[in-house]
Every structure is written in structure tokens, then in C-alpha cells.
Amino acid sequence: MVRSTVIARASDALPLAASVDDEQTEQALQEHKQQSKLIFRRITPNSEPRCSIESGAYTLHYLIVDNVVYLTIAEKSYPRKLAFSYLDELSKEFAQSYGAKVENVRKPYAFVGFDTFMSKTARLYQDTRGAAAESNMDKLNNELQDVTRIMTKNMEELLW
Amino acid sequence: MSQQNDLPPGWIAQWDPTHQRHLFIETTSGHQQWEHPLETAGGPLDATVAPAPAPSGHGKRRAYAVGQTHAYDGAGEVAPYPDAAGYGAPVQPGMGGAPAPLFTPGLANDQFAAQQQAAQGQGYYGGSEQYPAQQPAYGQQQPMQYPPVNQLADQFGHMGLGGQKPFALHTANLVATPPNPLELLMPPPEIRLPPGASITDSPAANADPSYMRSTINVVPTTYQLLNKSKLPFSLVLTPHRTLKSAVNSSVDDPPVPVVTDTVIARCRRCRSYINPYVTFIDGGQRWKCCLCSMSNEVPQMFDWDQARNQPGDRWSRPELTSGAVEFVAPTEYMVRPPQPLVYVFLIDVSHAAVQSGMVATATRTILESLDRIPNDDNRTRISLIAFDTALYFFSLTPGSTETSMLVVSDIDDVFLPKPNDQLVLNLTESRAAVETLLGRLQEMFQDTQIIGSALGPALQAGFQLASTTGGKLITLSASLPTLGVGALKNREDPKILGTPKESALLQAGSPFYKTFAIECSRAQVSVDMFLFAATYTDVASLSCLPHYTSGQTFFYPGFNAARSEDAIKFAHEFGIVLGSQIGLEAVIRVRASRGIHMSAFHGNFFVRSTDLLALPAVPPDQNYVIEISLEETLTTPFVVFQTAVLHTTCFGERRIRVITLALPTTSNISELYASVDQIAVATFLANKAVERTQANKLEDARDMVQKYVTDILGAYKSNMTGGGGAAAAGLAIPTNMQMFPLLALGLLKHVALRQSSQIAPDLRAYAHSLLTTLPSQTLIPYLHPSFYSLHDMPPECGTIGDAGVILPPLLPLTSERLVKHGLFVIEDGQTIFLWVGRDSVPQLIMDVFNLPNYEALRGGKYTLPILDNPFSQRVNAIIGKIREMRRGPYYPALFIVKEDGEPPMRLWALSALIQDRGDQTPSYQQWLGQLKDKLNGSSYN
């Protein structure tokens, strides 16, 4: 399942919105959150628009649309397709709600109110099994775009 | 203004806004003058009240006080208001009459000459209107009394004093000068910084004293000097205050300016924020820190207007012009994204709670306040747990009105029956369900017979819900916690009240509340306590939680919602707390120039490391006191104090509020005395006394207050008056501290500290919590109540003036002023007493209460009817004004006190008149006598 999500401006790594995580997640993902900050800083206009970065027990998936980076931290076993479908859904809603304002904000987490939508969407993607989830997933799978060309990197590669 | 009524026939007064004073015009001749006609004519009052000696020295300043005493004593000719619709004999305070000045030997000769010149000239505050006969309101200063700084400076300029202006110290003789309540409305002594101290010379370079004030407005250069003066040195802060103005109720104070471009210049060494007292060097490329003298680079974007994308004007940046400023913080100031506001309500639904109507009133208030809870970006979450001997959770479905109740009866090992996110819900999404639940809660438990309270386990459950994000536990409890962790025993024992053992009742009865509070503080959870109880509920233990988690305690003894006064008071205060814009996840740090250290901290917070104050929530209008010690000799002409509050607003923005205060230094003890802010000293003393009670005993706290007063008076006597001469006959004190001994006596007689075997420990404990949290504006009347006479008030009182409803003149706090046919108000910001004299004329009773006569009137809590007559409307306007004029959520209840009514009620009201002799406490005059004997008999000579 997706554990934590951050949305940042690609040009200067300014965080725009983030999921509100509980204490345990915060603790467990401490290191990975640091890594995500590093990723934001490394992103250039030439960066891959979609990328999954493996790091220990988790994978960091990110998607860049219109100068906005959507990054989520998910368990390694979590299907990549679903992760990107989730990010895609976020990007559409985010662009619709705040897209025009992104360039002009200066304060961090200016669109923190987006977390309500994020937590709702994350709940839909919570489980890949289970009866209730099944139909959700089926629906999602059908809607999935072609995500096979997503690049995969390793965190170590990125760091060195 | 009152000027209208004091005028002889044929004169009118016209307010001149440009000169900020009245212009007096004789209508027949058209003659105009600035001086009051009665005074220029050597008016009738002057002539009859006191055959005054020629005004000399600084007599002008005390003229009013003495004149007024004569009026109090009835010695003066009484000039009735020309058109007063009084119900009894109206009394007008006289003006004029000046006693011989006390020479202050500690002053240099030229300073004394300056005093005299000033007094003979215009008087210190410019013009004849320095103490208007009718002060409109507590804290409402008419601008004309205190001319702007430059005007004062002009006056000094005329006197030909070159260079730095000295502080003029005046000595008053306490024994001969009756206390004048108007003194409490004076602003603190002016802060006279050396010219050019502030780079922008902005008038707002030092923040308004309501944000941060110091007990002394001049800092001694050595600690020996401070020790010698015996003055306490502390900062009194209310960094997060509401904007309600103390001067004019119809306009708000200006908000704190906000720096939005996230460019924050801080000193590399001491981490202080850039402020109006730094200096720019190297052609403006670098700035020199005013706290530690470190040279720092000016940030690149400092002179760039990012909003318009063009070069900006550095000198208009708020951080360089304003002593109070707020920065929007960049990501470096965040450990996580800004948290949403989370409110968890813990509601007692035991038999006592339901029967008293608390549950119904509380749920209705929450329901009505849902729109006022800050929720701008729809992130606010709420949850509700009901408890008696078990815990009841409510799982709501967003978008529907369905709720299901889950009962957890295992209170030894509290667990959540459902995952967190199904119990804590987004207020916007689940609005319908929340409304249904609140509407039905009372009904669900209305026939409950369960007695007992598992408050501790409920708190633990609430903590589990809120701790994931941080938030606020709003606890409403109507009985003593009896089950699970945190169970308390009924410790109240009438036999030990008034004995040294009583103090133990004022300390926490169970260690749970402190350890749990620290756990909460760490998880950014704040606890508010609303306590309702017919009997003992151990406020001392329960208020520990708000104390360490920066919450608030409210106490409603004997609450019964069937009495509308009780319901209205609670609903009003609860509603304000719910709607207030709190800060979250905050830390406060106070920095100061080198050589100055913060040594102790008082207020509701947890001291995390040596000087970092942790506040999971920052409610508005909370007061904090910080004691200061001097550890090195100060060499700079002025020093700077800076308070920084890093917090998350309830709209999800991380901000830093920075309050900067610069004070000049001195090595002259008389300047030190002349700069004492008696309001701040009294605030400090109240906090210190409560701390002493909680750490030691009530007696120790009383002794400490007494010792502070004797030490200060003793030191003043030996340092400034040489211990002999004219001053030996009286008690010498600087005029700017004249009210301090009375405030200290008010503290000693306060329900929090008074020697008595009649005061319930709950009431004492609640008073302690108020004394340590009320900001000065509310605290001072709590120590020194306001006393007004209504039956003979001047005709404009109770009508709307320039600054809202006009209040009657303040009276000194002595029962000598009560008359048998009178109607009086005594109020301390928490309670309003309406005192009705036994010989009140039926017309008065009819007009105010709509009752035939005095006999038909009943004492106790009362709602004043609004009747169709001007007097009733004026009285209601005055009561309304008293209720809303101060900052803070409190809504004082009104009590009718009949002069021959029930003794406890009468004694309660009379205990507010602190100049009188009490059961075991001296009158003001007796107390001064005791102080004098102590000084003369001791080694202070």
C-alpha cells in the first residue's frame, strides 16, 4: 500500500502538499523521507517523467507533470501499476484544483488542504486483495495505461 | 467626555482632534481657550476643597488624588451635575489642591529643578486635563492624557536640558496619598532609548506593552545595582493575543504584520531574528546583530520584492519597522507537513453530568459552534468519546447521518475499537453525521443511573486518537475521577482548611496527571479541562494537565443548566474556546543581549530543554512570565530582548512570531526606580506566589509577597531618601509604583492566597490557574476589582461615547463609599456584583429590576431585565461593556447582593473591597502601618 505521499514543485523542490502520516509511519519512513527530499533536489527538466526508485523495503515512485512532482513511498511488493495509477489520479485532481497557482506560491505546503483528497484516494488503493478491493482493482487495472516503460533505478545508484 | 459637565454655565467644550484636547468656548462672548474655565478662574472647586499651597514641585501630579480624598471625605463642597438624573446625592470628585512635594534627595539638583519647572509649566502630561474626572473605562486611555513621545520630548527640550533626557523620579508618601484606581490605567513608564537606537526610527519599533513588557523599563548595568534596588526583573508576555483593543471597543488593534516571502535573516551565532535594532555595515551588505554583535550577511533576496518581481525597499520591510512581526516559515522550520486541527471531545455522561444539564448544554454549544471552529481548508478533524464507568466511541460514516456506538468497558487496558481513521473524522465530510450525533447524545444517556467516572482511561483513549497527528483533547467532566488510572480521592477535609496542611490539597493528588501531561506534550496533544461539579472535584490535580500541555482550565462550581445564567456563562466561554484561532505545535524561546539570562519560567507550558518552552497548542491571550538574571556587566547603551514563537496556524501555515523589546541601560538607581512598571511587577508577583504555593506552602507564598513589598520599600527608603527627613514620617515610594502595595495586598487577600478556613480548595486551585494564565489587562482587575456607583452616575455614563460605552468613574475599594440608598457594581473580570443598598428607593428598584420594592428583590445569580427606561438601558450597557471589554474568553456572571441579604454572599462581595479590614487581614491603612513599623524597626535605616 502507499504509505506516504509528497507533492513538490519540480523547479525548486518547494513542497506543495503532503499526506498527514501517523507517528509509526513517520518513524518507519524517516530515512526514505530524507531520500525523497534528495530526489526533489536532483530533479531537472531533463529528468525522467516517471521513475521508480528501489530503496530497501520500500520503493519511491514519482511522476512529473507540469512542473509538479508527485512522489509516493510504497512497500516494495506494491504493484507499480497501481502506484502510478494512484499518482496519476492525484495529478489530475491537483492540476484541476491548484494547477494555476503553483508557479506563484512561495510558502511551503501552500496546498496542504489537498491531503483530504490524498487520504481518500490512498484508502482506495490500500489493499490489493480482499473482496471489496477486488472490484476496485479490476476497474483500475482496466483503466491503467501502459506503464511498462517506466524506468527503474536503485537508490544507491542515485546517491552515488 | 466629562468636560461637558464640569463647565460653568455658558461654556461648551469642543474636542479638537488635531491637538487631541478640548477647546473651551464661552458661547456668549465667543472667547476660546485651551484651559478649563474653572481652573483658569481659580474655580469654585479649588477654592472650597482645599486651600492649597502654591503649586510647586511636582504637586500637579498628585493634585487629583488629594482633591479627590477631600471629596470622598465629604469635606469639599459638592457641585452636583447640572442635569444629573441621580437617585441619590451625587458626589463629584474635586480637582485641585496640591500638597507640598517630597524632595527626592537621590535626584541631582538640576533634575529637581526640572521637576519644578515642568510642574509649574504645564504639568507633566501637558495641559490641565491630566486626570479627567470621569475615566470612561478600565484600560481606556484617552489619548490626550498621554501626549505622543515627541510632544513630551519637546517639553523637555524647552527646559534646555541637553543630551540624554533623565528619568524624573518622584517620590510619594504612601501614608498620605490614598490609592487612586486611575493610576492602574496609566501606560508603563516610557522607554527612552538613545537616539538612533532603532535604524528605522519607527514608532512601532518596540511592540505594544500588551505583547511584551518588562517589570523595569531601564536595565541596570550590574546585578549589584539590581540587588540593591530589590526590584524583580522579569518579562511579562502574551505573544499570541487577540486584537480586541483596550482603548476603544469599536475598533480592533492593528494585526501583527506578516513577512510572506520566507526570507528570514537570523544571526549565525545567537540565532536571533533581524529586527529594528540591528545596524547595517559594509554599505548594507552585512548586518550587525544587536544581541551578540556578530556580523552577518544580508540574505540575497532581502531587497527584492518577490510578489512584484522588482527591487524592493528594505526600509519598508516589517521586520525592520515593527517590534512585533510574523514570518511565514520555509521548510527548514518543519519536521513534518503542517498538521490539521484535531479536536477530540471527551464528554462525561454519568448521572451527575446529565442531570446538571452539562451534556445538553455542551452538545448544543458544539453544534452551534461547528461553523466557528477554524476550518478554512476543510482539514479540521473531530472525534467524540463519551465516558462514565465505560468508554463510548462513535463511528461515523462520511456523507450520511448514520452513527454507531461502540462500548469499551475494559478500562484497565484501553484500546480503540476501530482504527483511528474511522473514529477521527473530517469535519466537512462528516458534518451531517456529527450534527446528528451531537443532537442525540443527550437523549442516549438521559436516563442513565451510572455514577462514577473513568476520566483517566478516557484521556488515554483520546490520546490514542489525537497523538498520531497532535491535537486538542477538550475534556468536560462533572465528577471526581473514580476509576482506572488517574482515579482521585476526595481529599477535602474542612478540619485542615486554614492550617498548614491545607497546602497539600493544592498540589496534585496523583502523579498520573503530570506524567500523562508530559507524554501529551511530546505528542503535540494539548488538554483543555472544563470542570463542573456540585462537590469536590480536585481542580488542583486536574488542572495539572492543561498546565503542562498549554491548555486552559475552566471551573463551574455547582453548575446547573436549569439556571439560565449558568448555561449562558458556560456556553459563551466554551463557544469562544472552540472558535478561537489557536496555534499548534509551538515552541517559544526568549533570547537577550549578552550577559542576560532567562532564569525561570511561569505559565502553561512544558520546559523542554533549559530554555525551550514547548506548547502543543497556543490559545490566545495566555500570559507567560520569564524571570531574568544579570550575569555580566552590561556595557551597551541599550539591550534587546527577543521572543520567538514558532507555531503552526490553524490554517496549516508554519509561522514564527517575533516580539522584540529594546530597553536602555543605566547605572543610576533613581532611573531604575522611575522606570518600574507596577502592573508587570504585580503580574510577576502573582505568578511567583502561585509557584511558591505549589512548591511549598500557602504561608510561604504570603511571606514571600510581604517580603517583596518590604524589601522594595526598605531599599527605596535607604537608597533614595537617606532614611530620614520628611520621608521618615511616611512610607516613601516612587509615584509610578504607588499602586503596587495595594496590588500586593489585593494578592494577599485574594481567594488564591488569603488566610482563611472557609475557602474550598477547588476555588483556590482554580484561582491559581487564573493567576498564572491571565494577561495583565485581565489580571489586574482580578487582583484589584473595579468599583462603580450607578445610582448617581453622571448622565453620559452608560451611553455610547467616542470609545464605546462610557463607564462611571472608578471608586477606591472601600466600603466607606457604599451608601444605603445606592446601587453599586463591583467586578473583577470573573464575577460582577450588583450591590443594592437597603434604603434604595422603590423607583430605582422598579427601573432596574422591574420589581415593586427592595423587599421583593432576591439575592444571587441574576439576569438583568432590559426595560423600557433610560436608566435600565444604561445599567445594561455598563454590564455589557464590563463583560466584553477585556481580552480572554471569560464571561463574568452577575450576582445581586442585597445589603442585608445572606451573609456569605455579602461577605464574598465585600471581600473584593480590598482596602477594608477583612476577617484575618488588615485594612490598607493598617497594612501600611505594619509595613512602616517593620521598616523603622529594622536595619533599613
Side-chain angles (χ1 to χ4, degrees):
Chain A
M1 65 188 258
V2 294
R3 298 292 296 270
S4 174
T5 312
V6 189
I7 301 177
R9 190 156 66 192
S11 47
D12 60 358
L14 178 80
L16 300 171
S19 56
V20 177
D21 303 328
D22 59 33
E23 206 68 19
Q24 293 138 331
T25 316
E26 203 74 58
Q27 297 241 316
L29 298 183
Q30 219 171 12
E31 195 188 330
H32 297 89
K33 288 198 168 184
Q34 283 304 318
Q35 291 172 352
S36 66
K37 280 182 195 156
L38 191 81
I39 293 170
F40 286 138
R41 279 204 294 274
R42 294 271 171 99
I43 280 171
T44 61
N46 305 327
S47 299
E48 279 307 320
R50 285 158 186 265
C51 186
S52 299
I53 300 154
E54 287 167 5
S55 171
Y58 296 96
T59 306
L60 287 72
H61 307 273
Y62 78 74
L63 167 72
I64 309 177
V65 188
D66 296 335
N67 193 21
V68 178
V69 192
Y70 304 83
L71 182 144
T72 189
I73 305 173
E75 270 113 9
K76 200 175 175 182
S77 56
Y78 192 77
R80 205 161 66 173
K81 278 182 181 179
L82 289 182
F84 277 96
S85 156
Y86 164 70
L87 290 177
D88 217 52
E89 206 164 317
L90 289 191
S91 73
K92 282 185 187 132
E93 177 68 22
F94 190 81
Q96 180 135 34
S97 312
Y98 309 107
K101 297 183 207 150
V102 167
E103 295 305 319
N104 297 323
V105 296
R106 284 189 303 273
K107 66 171 189 190
Y109 300 105
F111 311 121
V112 75
F114 193 62
D115 73 341
T116 355
F117 180 82
M118 275 194 271
S119 62
K120 248 188 301 185
T121 317
R123 222 171 291 144
L124 287 179
Y125 286 83
Q126 213 161 41
D127 208 339
T128 43
R129 290 157 303 168
E134 201 81 37
S135 60
N136 266 336
M137 290 299 142
D138 277 349
K139 200 172 89 203
L140 288 167
N141 276 326
N142 294 335
E143 289 169 4
L144 275 190
Q145 310 133 324
D146 178 19
V147 287
T148 47
R149 276 177 294 122
I150 295 169
M151 191 168 181
T152 309
K153 280 185 188 164
N154 192 293
M155 198 64 208
E156 269 81 53
E157 281 169 43
L158 203 84
L159 287 173
W160 296 107
Chain B
M1 258 313 293
S2 61
Q3 301 291 348
Q4 298 280 2
N5 305 296
D6 300 331
L7 292 171
W11 283 81
I12 56 164
Q14 216 170 50
W15 178 251
D16 182 344
T18 50
H19 293 86
Q20 292 291 302
R21 51 190 297 187
H22 280 99
L23 181 67
F24 298 95
I25 305 164
E26 196 175 7
T27 43
T28 46
S29 66
H31 170 71
Q32 300 181 353
Q33 64 181 45
W34 287 113
E35 290 77 21
H36 195 283
L38 285 186
E39 285 179 14
T40 45
L45 289 175
D46 274 348
T48 49
V49 171
S56 63
H58 47 272
K60 200 74 178 176
R61 205 184 141 102
R62 276 178 288 125
Y64 178 67
V66 171
Q68 204 177 36
T69 344
H70 283 257
Y72 295 160
D73 299 338
E77 284 285 279
V78 169
Y81 294 101
D83 51 346
Y87 289 90
V91 179
Q92 183 185 18
M95 295 279 280
L102 276 174
F103 178 64
T104 311
L107 283 176
N109 275 341
D110 58 338
Q111 271 176 267
F112 186 70
Q115 283 181 26
Q116 298 215 337
Q117 278 185 29
Q120 280 166 355
Q122 287 183 280
Y124 263 88
Y125 290 91
S128 55
E129 302 153 330
Q130 45 188 345
Y131 285 125
Q134 282 83 36
Q135 191 66 13
Y138 191 90
Q140 287 199 350
Q141 296 124 5
Q142 291 297 313
M144 60 175 185
Q145 291 167 57
Y146 317 111
V149 179
N150 53 8
Q151 203 173 319
L152 256 186
D154 284 351
Q155 286 183 17
F156 279 97
H158 294 314
M159 282 180 258
L161 290 170
Q164 178 117 20
K165 297 154 296 196
F167 261 104
L169 175 69
H170 306 297
T171 301
N173 180 358
L174 276 176
V175 180
T177 323
N180 178 356
L182 288 178
E183 293 269 340
L184 294 173
L185 310 177
M186 299 276 283
E190 185 206 345
I191 298 170
R192 290 197 199 133
L193 289 167
S198 140
I199 43 168
T200 47
D201 235 4
S202 151
N206 263 341
D208 189 86
S210 54
Y211 288 100
M212 172 145 84
R213 65 202 295 172
S214 165
T215 52
I216 37 182
N217 273 345
V218 165
V219 178
T221 46
T222 60
Y223 78 92
Q224 286 90 345
L225 184 60
L226 182 63
N227 276 358
K228 194 175 158 202
S229 75
K230 300 285 180 194
L231 293 168
F233 190 8
S234 301
L235 292 177
V236 172
L237 14 143
T238 310
H240 189 49
R241 54 157 274 212
T242 45
L243 297 175
K244 190 188 274 182
S245 166
V247 182
N248 188 335
S249 51
S250 51
V251 284
D252 275 352
D253 284 347
V256 174
V258 182
V259 179
T260 51
D261 60 7
T262 67
V263 176
I264 301 181
R266 294 181 70 180
C267 174
R268 273 185 298 141
R269 183 162 55 198
C270 70
R271 307 303 293 144
S272 67
Y273 296 78
I274 200 166
N275 60 64
Y277 300 99
V278 301
T279 38
F280 286 105
I281 47 178
D282 288 353
Q285 297 291 307
R286 305 180 70 83
W287 59 279
K288 201 172 125 195
C289 172
C290 55
L291 269 66
C292 71
S293 307
M294 178 81 174
S295 154
N296 297 283
E297 259 176 53
V298 172
Q300 270 184 345
M301 301 294 272
F302 199 68
D303 297 314
W304 187 257
D305 184 342
Q306 291 185 37
R308 292 204 207 90
N309 233 359
Q310 63 185 43
D313 175 16
R314 173 183 296 187
W315 305 108
S316 63
R317 286 187 71 95
E319 62 265 50
L320 295 182
T321 54
S322 177
V325 71
E326 205 160 85
F327 294 97
V328 173
T331 31
E332 295 86 78
Y333 294 85
M334 305 176 181
V335 281
R336 54 176 182 176
Q339 66 181 98
L341 193 59
V342 177
Y343 278 154
V344 178
F345 294 97
L346 305 174
I347 302 181
D348 186 346
V349 290
S350 64
H351 179 73
V354 176
Q355 283 312 305
S356 69
M358 181 278 276
V359 177
T361 318
T363 47
R364 198 177 59 237
T365 310
I366 301 172
L367 197 56
E368 285 165 0
S369 303
L370 286 179
D371 283 326
R372 295 168 62 198
I373 295 178
N375 189 17
D376 268 19
D377 41 12
N378 297 326
R379 297 174 77 212
T380 301
R381 305 178 189 183
I382 72 167
S383 181
L384 199 149
I385 302 175
F387 65 95
D388 43 36
T389 55
L391 307 182
Y392 308 90
F393 294 83
F394 299 91
S395 169
L396 312 182
T397 321
S400 85
T401 56
E402 268 174 57
T403 57
S404 55
M405 185 165 86
L406 306 139
V407 184
V408 173
S409 46
D410 178 4
I411 53 168
D412 292 327
D413 186 14
V414 176
F415 63 91
L416 297 180
K418 277 200 167 188
N420 201 305
D421 59 356
Q422 291 179 40
L423 295 170
V424 185
L425 292 134
N426 183 297
L427 175 59
T428 312
E429 287 172 10
S430 312
R431 179 69 181 255
V434 170
E435 284 181 0
T436 321
L437 172 62
L438 288 169
R440 286 185 46 218
L441 196 70
Q442 155 80 10
E443 214 176 289
M444 287 181 207
F445 294 96
Q446 92 186 345
D447 298 322
T448 182
Q449 293 301 323
I450 298 174
I451 293 168
S453 159
L455 178 65
L459 284 164
Q460 286 181 322
F463 176 76
Q464 289 187 35
L465 289 179
S467 61
T468 55
T469 48
K472 214 164 169 160
L473 303 184
I474 299 176
T475 313
L476 301 113
S477 162
S479 46
L480 191 68
T482 50
L483 293 163
V485 287
L488 295 166
K489 289 194 194 73
N490 187 346
R491 299 186 286 163
E492 190 176 30
D493 177 359
K495 285 198 293 295
I496 65 168
L497 297 183
T499 72
K501 282 186 187 152
E502 181 184 5
S503 304
L505 302 184
L506 302 170
Q507 289 148 9
S510 156
F512 167 75
Y513 293 96
K514 183 158 184 195
T515 49
F516 182 68
I518 291 162
E519 211 178 315
C520 286
S521 177
R522 204 171 292 137
Q524 305 295 351
V525 174
S526 166
V527 185
D528 278 351
M529 282 276 172
F530 289 82
L531 304 172
F532 310 78
T535 55
Y536 180 71
T537 184
D538 205 343
V539 176
S541 302
L542 297 177
S543 65
C544 253
L545 268 177
H547 178 64
Y548 292 107
T549 63
S550 69
Q552 285 167 284
T553 305
F554 292 85
F555 180 44
Y556 304 92
F559 180 83
N560 182 358
R563 259 198 312 261
S564 64
E565 291 84 14
D566 281 12
I568 290 171
K569 179 178 165 67
F570 163 57
H572 184 93
E573 294 175 355
F574 191 35
I576 288 189
V577 169
L578 291 177
S580 58
Q581 305 206 341
I582 59 170
L584 300 161
E585 250 189 309
V587 285
I588 298 182
R589 180 166 259 144
V590 182
R591 296 178 175 87
S593 297
R594 202 162 50 208
I596 300 174
H597 286 265
M598 314 299 140
S599 54
F601 307 88
H602 307 277
N604 280 6
F605 45 69
F606 181 66
V607 185
R608 201 186 279 161
S609 56
T610 50
D611 64 341
L612 188 70
L613 315 179
L615 299 94
V618 197
D621 297 324
Q622 292 277 296
N623 193 62
Y624 315 104
V625 172
I626 292 169
E627 289 179 50
I628 290 170
S629 62
L630 297 175
E631 304 202 334
E632 286 170 41
T633 302
L634 306 175
T635 51
T636 46
F638 68 94
V639 290
V640 177
F641 300 86
Q642 191 173 65
T643 301
V645 188
L646 174 63
H647 64 284
T648 302
T649 65
C650 45
F651 309 116
E653 208 171 65
R654 197 78 173 143
R655 287 187 174 194
I656 311 154
R657 180 168 285 204
V658 177
I659 317 279
T660 311
L661 176 70
L663 297 176
T665 55
T666 187
S667 54
N668 178 344
I669 198 163
S670 70
E671 282 195 24
L672 195 55
Y673 280 117
S675 73
V676 175
D677 178 350
Q678 55 187 348
I679 305 292
V681 176
T683 311
F684 156 78
L685 208 51
N687 277 271
K688 192 79 181 159
V690 173
E691 186 205 42
R692 189 57 63 91
T693 310
Q694 283 164 352
N696 298 309
K697 290 195 177 113
L698 276 168
E699 283 163 281
D700 297 335
R702 287 190 286 261
D703 290 348
M704 187 207 74
V705 174
Q706 186 101 19
K707 188 167 176 340
Y708 264 101
V709 181
T710 14
D711 281 357
I712 292 172
L713 288 172
Y716 188 74
K717 186 175 170 185
S718 59
N719 290 327
M720 303 308 298
T721 63
L731 269 180
I733 195 156
T735 44
N736 49 313
M737 285 186 84
Q738 269 183 85
M739 289 302 280
F740 170 65
L742 182 58
L743 290 172
L745 182 63
L747 183 59
L748 288 173
K749 291 186 167 193
H750 196 271
V751 85
L753 288 185
R754 185 165 64 218
Q755 166 71 45
S756 164
S757 54
Q758 308 290 325
I759 300 170
D762 276 353
L763 288 175
R764 272 213 209 272
Y766 182 54
H768 287 166
S769 117
L770 288 176
L771 286 180
T772 49
T773 54
L774 293 180
S776 298
Q777 190 209 20
T778 323
L779 179 75
I780 295 303
Y782 193 45
L783 297 177
H784 179 284
S786 306
F787 182 23
Y788 308 103
S789 152
L790 297 186
H791 61 284
D792 59 353
M793 60 182 169
E796 75 275 15
C797 297
T799 61
I800 311 268
D802 295 339
V805 174
I806 299 168
L807 290 177
L810 284 165
L811 300 178
L813 293 170
T814 157
S815 54
E816 286 166 26
R817 305 289 288 157
L818 293 171
V819 293
K820 280 185 186 164
H821 61 267
L823 181 67
F824 295 89
V825 165
I826 310 169
E827 63 91 17
D828 66 359
Q830 303 294 322
T831 319
I832 303 174
F833 298 109
L834 196 59
W835 176 281
V836 192
R838 72 173 88 189
D839 290 342
S840 303
V841 287
Q843 186 61 43
L844 173 70
I845 305 290
M846 192 67 201
D847 281 357
V848 179
F849 304 103
N850 201 19
L851 291 169
N853 53 37
Y854 177 74
E855 282 67 36
L857 184 65
R858 289 174 58 95
K861 276 183 197 162
Y862 203 81
T863 304
L864 214 54
I866 301 174
L867 303 172
D868 189 20
N869 71 68
F871 192 69
S872 164
Q873 283 155 10
R874 284 164 61 203
V875 170
N876 272 293
I878 288 167
I879 302 290
K881 167 90 177 183
I882 289 169
R883 279 185 170 144
E884 54 106 78
M885 69 184 173
R886 299 191 188 101
R887 293 186 281 268
Y890 303 99
Y891 183 85
L894 178 78
F895 289 84
I896 301 291
V897 186
K898 291 178 68 172
E899 190 185 349
D900 56 1
E902 293 167 28
M905 194 70 226
R906 275 186 57 225
L907 287 176
W908 186 18
L910 289 176
S911 73
L913 300 176
I914 54 173
Q915 279 169 240
D916 287 348
R917 213 173 73 100
D919 190 13
Q920 296 180 44
T921 50
S923 74
Y924 183 60
Q925 287 303 330
Q926 284 173 322
W927 197 57
L928 291 181
Q930 287 174 12
L931 289 172
K932 204 171 90 180
D933 292 348
K934 217 174 230 175
L935 293 189
N936 290 337
S938 73
S939 56
Y940 282 109
N941 287 314

